[in-house]
Amino acid sequence: MTLQPEFFPIIKKAGFDTVRLPVRWSAHAGQKPPYTIDPDFLARVEWAIDQATANGLNIVVNAHHYDDLDKDPAAHVPRLAAIWTQVAEKIRGRGDNVYFELYNEPHGKFDTDTWNAAIPVLLEAVRASNPDRPVIIGPVSWNNIRALDGLKLPRDDHNLIVTVHYYEPFEFTHQGAEWAEGSDAWLGRSWTGSEEEKRTVTASLETAAEWGRRHGRPVFLGEFGAYSKADDASRLRWTRFVAREADRLGMSRAYWEFCAGFGLYDRDTGAWRQDLKAAALGEPRGQE
């Protein structure tokens, strides 16, 4: 999908206050030191930041889909650090409505110890030019709540936000998803909103909120959503309940995503899927 300038006022008018921008920096930077980012691509990201902030939106700029990093962290952490050095220097004058997210969903060879060792390296790349920039960091296992207890953050850095992602039950939220192996076998899974189903969601999100309180860190539910091949009624029930539980627990949140397979917005018709948008915003059914 190509970002369009009209997306940003549409998002703002709908009632959202933040956009999260997934950026595949690794596809637009040199393979050898100093790992120079393509200036046209960097300018495109700056354009997106301009569009967001001009429309009164916060923006989270992350590093996304760096597959080689997950396969071989030792070889690629220095490259990502060099990328963040360049990004941070370019964006150093921006306000605190521009957030950095060091890396989306570390997994693969990123076990707890490897990721904890990489965090200070990547964070220093940002802090050299942006000492007070809000930075978002999540645990391993795809930012899984169950991996939070292993996450180690620098205690003297007070501008850190912890992110987790929530897609449980996975066989419901990812049924029919083309990239999820075996997902066609999950088609037809529903989420009825039974007391047992709700307790499972609540227990997971309360675990994250309690971790945040214990460690003195705000918690950001950086992704949640159910793929479009789930039935609409189940998607609405699940999305609304997750959003409201996050609100109840004082967790900020971002729905995944705007206008693709999980999307709230239909690019073909140029209109919001109103019930799903309302659910993601935690509004009553049908509220505009």
Side-chain angles (χ1 to χ4, degrees):
M1 180 198 73
T2 301
L3 281 176
Q4 302 298 327
E6 61 266 24
F7 289 168
F8 298 89
I10 286 170
I11 291 167
K12 178 65 175 180
K13 186 178 179 180
F16 297 95
D17 58 18
T18 301
V19 294
R20 180 170 174 260
L21 186 71
V23 184
R24 196 167 194 167
W25 299 104
S26 58
H28 300 275
Q31 295 293 329
K32 297 179 180 180
Y35 306 112
T36 303
I37 300 170
D38 174 8
D40 290 340
F41 183 75
L42 185 52
R44 177 67 174 170
V45 174
E46 284 196 281
W47 171 87
I49 294 171
D50 289 340
Q51 295 297 311
T53 56
N55 283 281
L57 292 161
N58 306 311
I59 184 166
V60 176
V61 178
N62 80 2
H64 213 93
H65 290 317
Y66 191 168
D67 296 336
D68 288 339
L69 177 65
D70 293 301
K71 295 174 182 176
D72 190 355
H76 288 271
V77 165
R79 182 172 183 242
L80 183 56
I83 288 170
W84 271 121
T85 295
Q86 296 170 72
V87 174
E89 288 177 350
K90 191 69 172 177
I91 300 173
R92 67 190 305 167
R94 303 282 183 163
D96 60 7
N97 56 347
V98 180
Y99 297 71
F100 291 160
E101 182 179 344
L102 290 184
Y103 186 51
N104 175 70
E105 296 187 340
H107 61 279
K109 297 293 186 179
F110 262 135
D111 59 21
T112 295
D113 291 340
T114 306
W115 177 231
N116 286 340
I119 289 170
V121 177
L122 301 176
L123 190 56
E124 178 55 33
V126 170
R127 290 289 178 243
S129 58
N130 289 253
D132 300 315
R133 173 77 51 198
V135 174
I136 297 169
I137 306 173
V140 296
S141 299
W142 311 84
N143 292 156
N144 198 301
I145 291 171
R146 291 186 291 273
L148 271 173
D149 280 342
L151 182 64
K152 304 295 183 186
L153 300 178
R155 292 185 179 181
D156 58 350
D157 193 324
H158 303 294
N159 292 308
L160 302 181
I161 298 165
V162 171
T163 188
V164 293
H165 294 176
Y166 189 72
Y167 290 107
E168 301 296 335
F170 193 77
E171 292 182 359
F172 163 67
T173 65
H174 281 67
Q175 59 187 282
E178 293 78 6
W179 64 93
E181 185 177 353
S183 64
D184 284 349
W186 310 336
L187 289 167
R189 302 290 177 100
S190 62
W191 198 84
T192 65
S194 69
E195 290 307 309
E196 181 178 359
E197 287 173 326
K198 289 179 177 179
R199 280 194 297 270
T200 299
V201 173
T202 296
S204 292
L205 297 185
E206 284 183 344
T207 294
E210 192 280 329
W211 189 97
R213 289 191 297 270
R214 181 157 38 95
H215 292 271
R217 304 288 188 184
V219 178
F220 172 47
L221 179 57
E223 290 186 18
F224 72 105
Y227 195 54
S228 56
K229 290 186 180 180
D231 71 274
D232 289 344
S234 291
R235 289 180 79 198
L236 291 174
R237 281 190 292 266
W238 183 90
T239 301
R240 182 174 288 107
F241 188 73
V242 173
R244 288 182 174 177
E245 284 298 274
D247 287 348
R248 180 180 67 83
L249 294 165
M251 298 164 59
S252 57
R253 50 187 167 80
Y255 180 84
W256 183 268
E257 30 66 22
F258 176 53
C259 62
F262 291 75
L264 304 177
Y265 186 81
D266 188 331
R267 283 179 292 168
D268 294 333
T269 63
W272 290 99
R273 297 179 173 97
Q274 290 289 357
D275 281 353
L276 188 58
K277 173 178 74 72
L281 287 166
E283 296 173 348
R285 174 181 289 274
Q287 182 173 330
E288 300 289 323

